[in-house]
Amino acid sequence: MAGWRFMLIWVLGPSFANAGIINFARKTVLSDLSGGFCRSYRFGADIANNVLYMVGLDGGLIPDDGDASNNYLVTLDLTSSFSTSEGKNYKMTKIDTAVPIVKDMAVWSNAENSTLYQYGGRFLNNITSEDTIWTYTTKEKSWSKQDGTIQPSRLEYGVYTNAPAIQAGFWVGGYRASGTTASITDSTRDYATGMIQLNTTTGQYTALDGPYEAVEEGSLSYVPVGDKGILVYIGGDVPSIKDGINATMSANSWSHVQVYDIAGAKWYNQSTMGTVASRTQFCASVQHDESSSSYQIYVIGGADLESKDTILDVNYLSIPSFKWYSAGPLDDPRMTLTCVTYGRQIFGIGGRLAWADDSQAGCYDAPAFIYDAQSEATRSSFDPTLSSFSLSSSTASDIKATPSPSSWADPAFKTLFGKSAATTSTTANNKPSSTSEPQEVNTSDPSTKGAIAGGVVGGVASLALIISLLWFFVARNKKPKNAELVEIIPHQVQTMSELPVGARDGRSELRGGTQMRWELPADHKGEISELDSGRNR
């Protein structure tokens, strides 16, 4: 047994050995992470009713589990203080096996915090349908398919944000590949050219224009200014070809950001001031400073696209001055992480310590750490009373001295910042303190052009109308704008055809030019370690 243990440590690497050995003999569904943790990336996460929900943790690199087919929902109770490094605080429930194991997904909550929507991401295991969106009800604690709606095609490596003030979720960029689409069996990446909006009250999806023809990674943040608020897209990696194989990637300049006026349905290319390091696979969080009437978008962690070096830097973009500032760095590097905000505390969830898909990606104590935006330092514990945020007096004075950029992208864009905010009251977890009326989808409104018909398709008359419309569009052979983002027919649940081994990129972390083997008990040979991202590029 000692020899077997040594060989397993040698294969996994010393960093994993320090986290503990996977217990292949115990096939136990865990209730928390008391037995230890190693790493996982990338989570989908959101806060609802003072609970932080994290989706996308498989059991592969959990020392007390070791079974990557176990799919967990992880929660943190935000009503009281706790240490982020103690595994017992991370409560876990196994997700029903009918729900596919997915990573890099979006998680949006509705206005009542009663439902979580899970969209996008790459399949790792148990694929039952391509584009079905799953919902989770926080009261019943149950998962179900969002059937009866026309749903967007599944994308991976895009970015998302939640806009509770207008009851909407947004997704930008990404692509379809073998990890998302059954018909793609090689390394082709089919990039999306638009943006997806979800009405989190009606469950209706809308296809909108995107900031680039093709882009992945970056960050998308909602800022409540103007009539309905704006979306700020930062960074992003652009492929040399939109559809194809082996595209080379280049980083967008950080001297500009792309800003979307939701009410006006228009993107603006706004220049920025100040200095910031370009990066990829980072996360972002929004804070509001009342003294300077400004919003700050914090960018945390990431890595340099060219050198692959991880980044400790924390910077923030102040709006409406569109000026970059530096904040205190992280204690440890982190890339491929997700950010969720509660007051001034920013949860950094999951990720890697280094750009690698094997043990060199490193291990850490628990899924989440906290960066305090006000003290500009990493915290070891969560404090629910730290709700208000304020900048240092020197930074606030600098913002007041230069409240606007040196030049505006457009006069119409400038006028957005003279209007009242889309929401004026937020709770500590950046959720609206009162519920406004749902934003209805109006196909005549330019902000909802390309609307995707949502809701349950019922009745013989409705079905006949849909068939007639489908026949009309097929006969005309006319492809609507941004059609690659959405299905034009009511979503059908189909069993996916068998793909060649590796076609879905559901690879084990234990891989390389030389296969290393060791003896396992006969009933445990099918278990593998964490299903990796395939992002070692």
Side-chain angles (χ1 to χ4, degrees), residues 241-278:
I241 52 176
K242 178 176 173 289
D243 303 315
I245 299 175
N246 298 326
T248 58
M249 306 301 297
S250 59
N252 280 320
S253 171
W254 283 47
S255 62
H256 289 76
V257 293
Q258 306 302 313
V259 184
Y260 184 75
D261 172 21
I262 297 174
K266 184 176 181 179
W267 284 97
Y268 296 93
N269 181 29
Q270 177 61 49
S271 61
T272 63
M273 301 181 291
T275 303
V276 63
S278 172

Side-chain angles (χ1 to χ4, degrees), residues 392-411:
S392 66
S393 57
S394 59
T395 303
S397 297
D398 185 72
I399 292 173
K400 291 177 183 178
T402 55
S404 302
S406 56
S407 62
W408 289 95
D410 188 278

Side-chain angles (χ1 to χ4, degrees), residues 12 47 76 90 166-167 170 191 223 280 299 336 396 411 428 510 525:
L12 293 176
I47 293 174
L76 282 172
Y90 296 83
I166 59 171
Q167 301 172 36
F170 296 88
Y191 280 86
V223 180
T280 186
V299 294
T336 331
L510 306 179
K525 290 183 180 180

Side-chain angles (χ1 to χ4, degrees), residues 357-439:
D357 278 340
D358 53 19
S359 62
Q360 298 303 311
C363 287
Y364 39 93
D365 293 336
F369 68 90
I370 293 176
Y371 183 84
D372 189 327
Q374 182 160 315
S375 65
E376 299 187 358
T378 302
R379 294 181 55 86
S380 60
S381 61
F382 170 76
D383 184 347
T385 66
L386 300 180
S387 57
S388 62
F389 167 82
S390 62
L391 290 168
S392 66
S393 57
S394 59
T395 303
S397 297
D398 185 72
I399 292 173
K400 291 177 183 178
T402 55
S404 302
S406 56
S407 62
W408 289 95
D410 188 278
F413 179 53
K414 178 181 178 180
T415 62
L416 295 177
F417 298 93
K419 298 180 180 180
S420 59
T423 179
T424 58
S425 177
T426 57
T427 60
N429 62 348
N430 291 340
K431 298 284 184 178
S433 58
S434 61
T435 303
S436 58
E437 290 299 315
Q439 298 291 323

Side-chain angles (χ1 to χ4, degrees), residues 323-335:
K323 183 176 181 179
W324 284 105
Y325 293 87
S326 295
L330 299 177
D331 290 344
D332 300 297
R334 192 70 64 91
M335 63 179 293

Side-chain angles (χ1 to χ4, degrees), residues 161-497:
T161 190
N162 204 20
I166 59 171
Q167 301 172 36
F170 296 88
W171 172 288
V172 165
Y175 52 81
R176 298 189 307 151
S178 59
T180 66
T181 308
S183 60
I184 301 177
T185 58
D186 56 16
S187 57
T188 295
R189 293 178 179 177
D190 182 11
Y191 280 86
T193 60
M195 177 169 64
I196 297 169
Q197 176 181 346
L198 165 69
N199 184 312
T200 56
T201 297
T202 66
Q204 192 172 33
Y205 296 89
T206 304
L208 305 170
D209 289 337
Y212 297 99
E213 280 295 309
V215 72
E216 62 180 85
E217 296 293 349
S219 70
L220 186 67
S221 301
Y222 174 77
V223 180
V225 299
D227 292 334
K228 292 185 178 180
I230 60 175
L231 302 175
V232 181
Y233 181 84
I234 299 174
D237 306 331
V238 178
S240 56
I241 52 176
K242 178 176 173 289
D243 303 315
I245 299 175
N246 298 326
T248 58
M249 306 301 297
S250 59
N252 280 320
S253 171
W254 283 47
S255 62
H256 289 76
V257 293
Q258 306 302 313
V259 184
Y260 184 75
D261 172 21
I262 297 174
K266 184 176 181 179
W267 284 97
Y268 296 93
N269 181 29
Q270 177 61 49
S271 61
T272 63
M273 301 181 291
T275 303
V276 63
S278 172
R279 65 195 74 177
T280 186
Q281 299 185 42
F282 60 96
C283 68
S285 169
V286 178
Q287 297 288 331
H288 176 53
D289 177 60
E290 293 185 1
S291 67
S292 60
S293 301
S294 64
Y295 291 87
Q296 329 305 322
I297 301 179
Y298 283 76
V299 294
I300 296 176
D304 182 87
L305 181 63
E306 298 298 327
S307 69
K308 306 295 189 291
D309 293 333
T310 48
I311 293 175
L312 290 168
D313 295 354
V314 176
N315 300 86
Y316 56 92
L317 179 68
S318 185
I319 294 174
S321 67
F322 289 93
K323 183 176 181 179
W324 284 105
Y325 293 87
S326 295
L330 299 177
D331 290 344
D332 300 297
R334 192 70 64 91
M335 63 179 293
T336 331
L337 71 166
T338 302
C339 277
V340 178
T341 305
Y342 192 102
R344 72 191 219 193
Q345 297 168 100
I346 304 170
F347 284 92
I349 303 170
R352 299 181 281 178
L353 304 183
W355 196 311
D357 278 340
D358 53 19
S359 62
Q360 298 303 311
C363 287
Y364 39 93
D365 293 336
F369 68 90
I370 293 176
Y371 183 84
D372 189 327
Q374 182 160 315
S375 65
E376 299 187 358
T378 302
R379 294 181 55 86
S380 60
S381 61
F382 170 76
D383 184 347
T385 66
L386 300 180
S387 57
S388 62
F389 167 82
S390 62
L391 290 168
S392 66
S393 57
S394 59
T395 303
S397 297
D398 185 72
I399 292 173
K400 291 177 183 178
T402 55
S404 302
S406 56
S407 62
W408 289 95
D410 188 278
F413 179 53
K414 178 181 178 180
T415 62
L416 295 177
F417 298 93
K419 298 180 180 180
S420 59
T423 179
T424 58
S425 177
T426 57
T427 60
N429 62 348
N430 291 340
K431 298 284 184 178
S433 58
S434 61
T435 303
S436 58
E437 290 299 315
Q439 298 291 323
E440 296 295 335
V441 175
N442 179 1
T443 55
S444 64
D445 187 334
S447 67
T448 57
K449 62 182 178 179
I452 309 165
V456 176
V457 179
V460 176
S462 297
L463 181 60
L465 177 60
I466 291 173
I467 294 173
S468 299
L469 289 173
L470 287 174
W471 178 87
F472 173 77
F473 282 116
V474 171
R476 291 285 301 273
N477 193 27
K478 183 177 181 180
K479 184 178 180 181
K481 189 174 185 179
N482 291 333
E484 71 276 8
L485 282 175
V486 300
E487 297 291 344
I488 308 301
I489 60 174
H491 184 68
Q492 301 289 328
V493 177
Q494 299 177 348
T495 302
M496 296 183 67
S497 58

